[in-house]
Amino acid sequence: MTEGDGIRLERLTMLPDRGAALAGLEEIFFASTTRTAFASAAERAAFLATWTGWFVAEAPRDVWIAMADDGQVVGYLTGCKDSAGSVELARRIPKYEVFADRFAAYPAHFHVNVRPGWREHGLGRRLIDRFAGDCRAEGLPGVHLVTAVFARNVGFYQRAGFTDACQRGPLLFLGRHLDT
Ligand SMILES: CC(C)(COP(=O)(O)OP(=O)(O)OC[C@H]1O[C@@H](n2cnc3c(N)ncnc32)[C@H](O)[C@@H]1OP(=O)(O)O)[C@@H](O)C(=O)NCCC(=O)NCCS
């Protein structure tokens, strides 16, 4: 799959039907998270809000939606360009502060998920490169993500240029410089 294969990447703010885009994002979020059991619908909604709510409400320009020709949402990225300054986000996300000393070198961070069935077609890489390009254009020196030490996605991120690794407990920080 290449740029011409009918998948387009759009900022959430550019989509006419934001509700449909967010419904697709929610489906992919729950298809991708390792947590599957929830005591109630309210607890499930709160879990979604913890991980995506700040991005959608406060940084919708940095929410990238990958959309197929037929309008199906097939992947998304939620980005934050100022990890140190996003106090409300830090309040919501568990363990946010663990790598705070690295935020100066890598101010931006993101979460990315691709719909099952659409993985390994280059979409995750495209979403990341789009957000990273945006950050570079704004002069940011680096972008990072936090994953689990033993997560399957570690090799994927390293091959995508996130080579500055730092392990603390079960968490792995991976940073990519944007100056080259
Ligand atoms: C991790 C994740 C976001 C990666 O997205 P993806 O779209 O599958 O990633 P890509 O297709 O860009 O890259 C994956 C592999 O497919 C390969 N690939 C890319 N285009 C391809 C194509 N046209 N045909 C076959 N393989 C291809 C890439 O080379 C890459 O292989 P590599 O890791 O050995 O370099 C996605 O798999 C996912 O949502 N996983 C579950 C949730 C998750 O882990 N999210 C991240 C939380 S931190």
Side-chain angles (χ1 to χ4, degrees):
M1 191 174 292
T2 66
E3 196 77 35
D5 284 332
I7 306 294
R8 59 185 220 278
L9 307 188
E10 299 278 5
R11 297 181 196 274
L12 181 60
T13 47
M14 296 304 288
L15 292 171
D17 190 347
R18 194 184 288 210
L22 291 176
L25 181 152
E26 178 176 341
E27 281 176 13
I28 297 169
F29 173 82
F30 283 110
S32 303
T33 179
T34 51
R35 179 166 173 192
T36 51
F38 299 94
S40 64
E43 189 180 283
R44 188 176 186 272
F47 185 65
L48 174 69
T50 292
W51 289 99
T52 67
W54 181 91
F55 298 93
V56 170
E58 305 297 334
R61 267 191 96 249
D62 299 318
V63 176
W64 287 94
I65 301 289
M67 195 169 278
D69 272 346
D70 63 0
Q72 186 187 31
V73 177
V74 293
Y76 72 87
L77 177 148
T78 51
C80 168
K81 288 175 176 158
D82 180 13
S83 300
S86 300
V87 178
E88 174 57 22
L89 182 61
R91 207 179 57 75
R92 291 191 193 195
I93 303 283
K95 309 284 186 192
Y96 187 93
E97 71 294 343
V98 169
F99 297 104
D101 57 318
R102 319 218 82 200
F103 290 171
Y106 302 96
H109 77 273
F110 65 89
H111 304 270
V112 62
N113 284 313
V114 172
R115 189 182 285 279
W118 290 83
R119 293 176 185 166
E120 302 199 343
H121 287 77
L123 287 178
R125 181 64 186 265
R126 272 181 65 190
L127 283 159
I128 291 168
D129 286 347
R130 184 64 60 88
F131 179 59
D134 214 24
C135 292
R136 186 185 294 110
E138 293 186 20
L140 300 185
V143 58
H144 77 269
L145 63 100
V146 176
T147 188
V149 172
F150 297 110
R152 284 185 58 190
N153 54 42
V154 171
F156 160 73
Y157 288 127
Q158 289 177 325
R159 285 184 286 272
F162 293 83
T163 51
D164 187 357
C166 174
Q167 179 181 346
R168 290 180 184 159
L171 298 180
L172 182 67
F173 171 102
L174 292 170
R176 170 170 154 183
H177 286 295
L178 294 176
D179 50 0
T180 52

